[in-house]
Amino acid sequence: MNLQYCPPIRDSQDDAKLAQPSKNLFEVRFWGSRGTLPSPGQQFRIAGGNTNCTEVTCGDHTIIFDAGTGIRELGSKLVTENKGRKIHLMMTHAHYDHIEGVPFFAPFFMADSKVDVYCGELDGSSSTEETIKNLMRRPYFPVGPDVFTADVTFNDIKSGDNIGLTDEIKIRTAPLNHPGGATAYRIDFEGRSFACITDTEHVPGKPDQDVLELIDGVDLFIYDSSLCDEELSEFAGYGHSTYEEGMRLCKMAGAKAFLAFHHMPFRTDVELDRFEKIIQEDNPNSGIAREGSTVIL
Ligand SMILES: [Zn+2]
Ligand SMILES: [Zn+2]
């Protein structure tokens, strides 16, 4: 596994390297690793301020977990460099920090692109399509999703479903403990694996069996590390977990590495560096998911 911390401001050379992925490239790239609310500002510059958006490249397929504000810049890259790629946008749930970038995702406005949108935990909304319509309507937004010109499909899934994108790309899902629900995803591709586990609240001393099963032996997972253990009781009921729980789950599941993800808007680079030191004393392959960083599996 090759973890590269790209500078937060990317140059065209970085993107050019990724423009033509090989057939079995399995790469994870973070376009937003902040949770809850975007956090611009000097104190947050290294980890980045955009909310949840993780791009996973599996050969010529692009799988995107969540459409937080980070998806805007990803969309620009996809329309300029990756014509003809198959785009699958998989939402963990519909809270603002995971969905607010939807109206700004450029491939939705390209007549020659195809985007398949998936969501599993709708919390009362009747369908994935309805959820997007509710996001893009007055008084919250000036226009509805009928402005999209791409070929867009909306797919309703249930946490626990398996999604076979191709014979080679297998996706499994599991339910998470979050107000209104959230879906965890795991991708297995060409003998390697990655899992996205956000947002979820753990019960201290009782590891989540659904999560453990999903991340069993995984090469890399990202984990809701909004909090640290000493903050957990203060935020009880908000549906979030800690980086220490990520460390414990990593060991218990025999996973190779995890990256702490979904950083609180108040979490500074200095604090995240401190967390990373603790995480890496335990497992040098693990660390903090920072915007602009990539991992090749
Ligand atoms: Zn969130
Ligand atoms: Zn949430």
Side-chain angles (χ1 to χ4, degrees), residues 92-98 178-179 181-182 199 238-240 262:
T92 58
H93 60 309
H95 285 166
Y96 289 132
D97 53 326
H98 299 257
H178 194 60
D199 302 13
Y238 280 83
H240 293 295
H262 200 281

